[in-house]
Amino acid sequence: MTNHSLEREPKFRCRSVSVHYGSFQALHDVDIDIMDRGVTALIGPSGCGKSTLLRVFNRMNDTIANARVTGSVTMDGQDILGGDIDPVSLRARVGMVFQTPVPFPKSIYDNVAYGPRLHGLARTRAELDAVVENSLRRAGLWDEVSDRLSMPGTGLSGGQQQRLVLARAIAVDPEVILMDEPASSLDPIATARLEALIEALKARYCIIIVTHSMAQAARISDRTAFLHQGRLIEYDATERLFTNPGDVRTQDYITGRFG
Amino acid sequence: MTDPTPLYMLVLSALLCAAVFYHVRDGARRRVFLAGQRPHSRSRYHGALAACAAAAACSVVYGVGLALRPAGDVLFDAGWMAATGLLGWLAGWMVSRRSTMAFRARPHVERIVRIALAALSTLAVLVTLGIVASLLFEALLFFGDVSIVEFIFGTQWSPQTAIREGQAGQSGAFGAVPVMAGTLLITAIALLVAVPTGLMIAIYLSEYASRRTRALVKPMTEILAGIPPVVYGFFALLSVGPAVRSLAGALGANVPTQSALAAGLVMGIMIIPLISSLSDDVINAVPQSLRDGSYALGATRSETVRRAVLPSALPGIVSAVLLAVSRAIGETMIVVMAAGRGATLSANPLDSVTTVTVQIVALLTGDQVFDSSKTRAAFALGLMLFALTLILNVVALIVVRRYKERYA
């Protein structure tokens, strides 16, 4: 493995992280540093553990009954796997967008206001209005929905729904946004919009994205990690990994020989 | 002694149809086997069509025979049976004669199946219409004696005086308000008990309980649903009623053993499993991705339940509650035993009240002539009950549909 060290202090530092689901080990001793204010892509064939690794960063594996995470993960130098960290407040700092957007059965406004209301981020209605507008603007959805905020979120198109759940995550004012194959249910135009959005957001947030599309990883990410059978095979600056892979398995995967 | 011959005829017809089916099917199968080709319709469709023809012939013979039949004539019965066998077999044979490679039996059988299913569902509709019509008819007769305005708005209910001829000018009082009020009071108490409890049970089972706890608790609550209402009636009369009475006595109130509270509490317990079981099912049907979305925003488990899961499950929960309401309104046994019979108009749950169903029982049991105002009043009450549950169902359907249109 090459080049774990980053120029800046990393946002996340993982050391020998393993995840078990019951007796199945999904992740083997992964060491990885994730940089702040940039896009890190996780790629690899299906079942390689990239989604599992993503779910380590906001402790979503806690919601799976028989999942067990070992090793050490720090965020800004603070341990986030320990018992003294509250996964609920961690998730307010580390937002997540899933593969298929599932808006809550509420209006567009209430979908975005969901997180701020939970965490008491707005004291007055005017403040909440501002948070909702801001989040929708940053998610690139404001112009399309500003005149129908009271309509149900489920009535939007697939691409709009994906941007709605992105706005929902942004509204909590997180430091990190995790994305689990966010474009897999979108058409090419909606995908292009989403990618432009990620490009714009990375100045503010630490973004980690799981993707099946190597072209997408190459387009939007600064660093790329290649996982295979639960192990981190290679992790490098995206350009270097795609042009000059250090491992034969990485080369086989990015040239389409397997996976 | 009842005459068993018509029953024997039915058995004979059924056996005959089965025999025709197997005979024609096997005949067709043998020919196909010999020819080694692929027929238009599989042999069992040939058999099924022949059996349908036989059944049609048998029904005609049965109907005609039943109409013409003199009582106790052995000779006629023998002829009747012979005619069934003969004509049934003949009908089957007529079909089997056409049983060739090209015979298009399958579409015919499919059409017959469709017609039979449609006929059965029409039957359900007709029975419903018939019941409504008989309720309406008797209720209209009743409204000839007692004005409908008095019935709906009258606050006096004492139907017993109606048949006492000696009391000059007395025709009883048929104001349904106290009776309806009793039903609504007891139903409200039952819902106050059952809706929160049932919903909490459902939430616990689907969101918090481990798989093992769930496997244990869910069947236990469903056993509650299997207890016959009359047993709940004992329980209300012998345990809950006296308990309410002594508790109220300790607080300085004088309460009868039969009270709306006792009946409502027990009825509430009875409908808990209805609400918990159905709500548990709809909560379980909420996709996991919706919960994940909420957790990922930093919501706790209870916040997720309250703000994301319950709103999604709301239409299903509403219909569960509605089913429970209909059950509570129509429930008779518990209230007969535990609520009393005096038609007092009261909103005090500690009073003894009566309900629509109890009054219907009271009006129709015992020696009655079935054309007095008293017995007809029972039909009017039944009609009122029917209208109430119907309105409730329609309102809930509209609410649920609105909600689904918006969010599902």
Side-chain angles (χ1 to χ4, degrees):
Chain A
M1 279 178 259
T2 55
N3 212 357
H4 287 292
S5 55
L6 303 166
E7 303 76 37
R8 279 173 287 165
E9 191 57 22
K11 188 77 182 167
F12 290 101
R13 189 189 291 272
C14 299
R15 288 298 173 265
S16 55
V17 171
S18 295
V19 179
H20 290 81
Y21 295 121
S23 58
F24 171 72
Q25 187 166 6
L27 221 53
H28 297 261
D29 287 324
V30 170
D31 294 348
I32 193 170
D33 288 351
I34 308 282
M35 65 175 159
D36 202 358
R37 289 172 212 283
V39 180
T40 304
L42 307 179
I43 63 168
S46 294
C48 70
K50 52 194 190 304
S51 289
T52 302
L53 178 59
L54 192 73
R55 293 165 73 95
V56 165
F57 297 115
N58 67 342
R59 298 268 302 257
M60 273 306 270
N61 287 316
D62 289 17
T63 63
I64 298 169
N66 58 354
R68 195 157 50 81
V69 184
T70 55
S72 104
V73 181
T74 59
M75 177 178 179
D76 295 331
Q78 186 198 6
D79 177 31
I80 61 165
L81 286 190
D84 51 328
I85 191 110
D86 178 11
V88 166
S89 36
L90 174 69
R91 289 181 201 137
R93 294 169 65 195
V94 183
M96 187 165 190
V97 171
F98 297 87
Q99 192 169 351
T100 21
V102 183
F104 299 126
K106 298 168 184 291
S107 68
I108 293 171
Y109 184 96
D110 288 336
N111 260 282
V112 181
Y114 189 90
R117 279 185 179 140
L118 283 179
H119 303 292
L121 298 183
R123 265 158 303 159
T124 63
R125 179 76 190 190
E127 272 180 42
L128 191 61
D129 286 348
V131 169
V132 169
E133 179 177 343
N134 237 319
S135 310
L136 283 169
R137 275 192 197 285
R138 268 191 229 153
L141 193 59
W142 175 254
D143 294 337
E144 288 157 64
V145 300
S146 59
D147 55 341
R148 47 181 174 140
L149 291 176
S150 61
M151 300 291 278
T154 41
L156 298 173
S157 75
Q160 288 173 324
Q161 287 190 15
Q162 194 59 285
R163 279 176 283 144
L164 177 66
V165 296
L166 184 60
R168 196 170 80 179
I170 290 173
V172 188
D173 196 24
E175 301 153 36
V176 182
I177 301 176
L178 309 175
M179 300 187 178
D180 193 353
E181 294 176 42
S184 62
S185 62
L186 301 186
D187 64 61
I189 295 169
T191 303
R193 287 203 64 146
L194 187 73
E195 287 180 5
L197 206 58
I198 291 170
E199 195 66 37
L201 290 173
K202 76 176 185 185
R204 274 184 82 102
Y205 303 97
C206 165
I207 296 175
I208 309 176
I209 179 169
V210 163
T211 176
H212 265 302
S213 157
M214 276 165 288
Q216 186 173 57
R219 277 196 300 270
I220 60 174
S221 71
D222 303 301
R223 297 181 70 80
T224 299
F226 172 65
L227 286 92
H228 184 49
Q229 293 179 350
R231 290 172 208 282
L232 178 64
I233 306 300
E234 192 163 353
Y235 179 43
D236 212 332
T238 299
E239 213 183 292
R240 207 164 335 150
L241 186 128
F242 276 99
T243 51
N244 188 18
D247 192 289
V248 64
R249 284 167 292 184
T250 316
Q251 178 155 24
D252 285 351
Y253 182 70
I254 61 179
T255 52
R257 227 162 285 168
F258 76 89
Chain B
M1 264 291 278
T2 48
D3 177 12
T5 316
L7 190 67
Y8 291 159
M9 285 291 290
L10 286 179
V11 175
L12 178 72
S13 304
L15 287 175
L16 183 76
C17 291
V20 166
F21 172 77
Y22 286 112
H23 179 72
V24 174
R25 185 194 67 178
D26 292 348
R29 190 175 282 171
R30 220 170 300 121
R31 279 194 299 284
V32 169
F33 182 74
L34 288 178
Q37 289 168 0
R38 200 167 167 157
H40 171 271
S41 300
R42 309 261 326 250
S43 47
R44 65 166 172 272
Y45 284 106
H46 295 210
L49 190 62
C52 288
C58 288
S59 333
V60 172
V61 174
Y62 188 79
V64 171
L66 215 53
L68 298 178
R69 187 161 172 262
D73 189 336
V74 179
L75 217 62
F76 180 90
D77 286 355
W80 195 20
M81 287 192 177
T84 298
L86 215 65
L87 287 174
W89 195 260
L90 187 70
W93 178 75
M94 300 270 277
V95 172
S96 77
R97 253 182 4 143
R98 301 176 51 200
S99 164
T100 61
M101 284 296 150
F103 184 35
R104 307 172 79 83
R106 176 164 29 84
H108 291 299
V109 172
E110 289 297 324
R111 191 177 322 126
I112 290 166
V113 166
R114 201 185 66 217
I115 291 169
L117 292 179
L120 286 175
S121 46
T122 313
L123 191 69
V125 173
L126 286 180
V127 168
T128 311
L129 288 181
I131 290 175
V132 174
S134 83
L135 271 182
L136 263 178
F137 179 73
E138 294 286 341
L140 281 179
L141 283 182
F142 172 75
F143 291 133
D145 298 341
V146 178
S147 90
I148 188 163
V149 178
E150 192 202 324
F151 178 71
I152 293 179
F153 296 105
T155 54
Q156 278 293 319
W157 178 264
S158 49
Q160 306 306 336
T161 51
I163 50 169
R164 266 185 234 147
E165 302 276 342
Q167 291 173 319
Q170 275 283 34
S171 64
F174 291 99
V177 170
V179 187
M180 280 311 285
T183 289
L184 294 179
L185 179 63
I186 289 182
T187 303
I189 295 170
L191 288 179
L192 278 178
V193 173
V195 171
T197 320
L199 211 53
M200 296 300 157
I201 291 174
I203 291 170
Y204 174 71
L205 284 182
S206 55
E207 300 291 318
Y208 289 88
S210 70
R211 200 169 296 175
R212 260 179 57 198
T213 318
R214 187 183 150 83
L216 194 73
V217 174
K218 195 163 186 196
M220 293 292 273
T221 58
E222 276 161 6
I223 287 176
L224 270 183
I227 298 174
V230 74
V231 175
Y232 279 107
F234 300 154
F235 176 55
L237 186 64
L238 301 177
S239 311
V240 178
V244 168
R245 182 188 159 89
S246 58
L247 192 69
L251 297 171
N254 188 19
V255 169
T257 312
Q258 291 188 318
S259 66
L261 187 62
L265 283 177
V266 175
M267 197 192 282
I269 293 170
M270 187 184 74
I271 58 178
I272 283 174
L274 207 67
I275 294 181
S276 70
S277 200
L278 290 173
S279 305
D280 178 50
D281 290 343
V282 293
I283 291 174
N284 262 323
V286 171
Q288 182 61 33
S289 51
L290 193 89
R291 294 187 184 89
D292 284 347
S294 175
Y295 290 138
L297 289 170
T300 64
R301 199 174 271 209
S302 71
E303 285 164 345
T304 301
V305 168
R306 248 180 313 131
R307 298 179 185 220
V309 176
L310 284 187
S312 305
L314 196 66
I317 292 172
V318 169
S319 45
V321 170
L322 227 88
L323 220 73
V325 172
S326 313
R327 179 81 194 274
I329 287 181
E331 173 53 40
T332 315
M333 219 52 229
I334 292 176
V335 278
V336 164
M337 294 167 87
R341 293 200 169 190
T344 37
L345 178 57
S346 164
N348 178 0
L350 296 174
D351 273 342
S352 164
V353 299
T354 192
T355 68
V356 176
T357 50
V358 169
Q359 285 310 310
I360 292 176
V361 170
L363 290 170
L364 294 183
T365 47
D367 289 335
Q368 301 291 349
V369 194
F370 266 82
D371 54 2
S372 66
S373 312
K374 192 182 156 187
T375 50
R376 281 177 190 146
F379 287 92
L381 284 178
L383 185 69
M384 205 163 173
L385 207 57
F386 175 73
L388 185 68
T389 38
L390 190 71
I391 291 168
L392 274 174
N393 275 313
V394 169
V395 167
L397 263 181
I398 292 171
V399 169
V400 168
R401 190 173 303 158
R402 282 256 167 88
Y403 188 85
K404 274 189 180 159
E405 261 168 21
R406 267 180 79 77
Y407 295 112

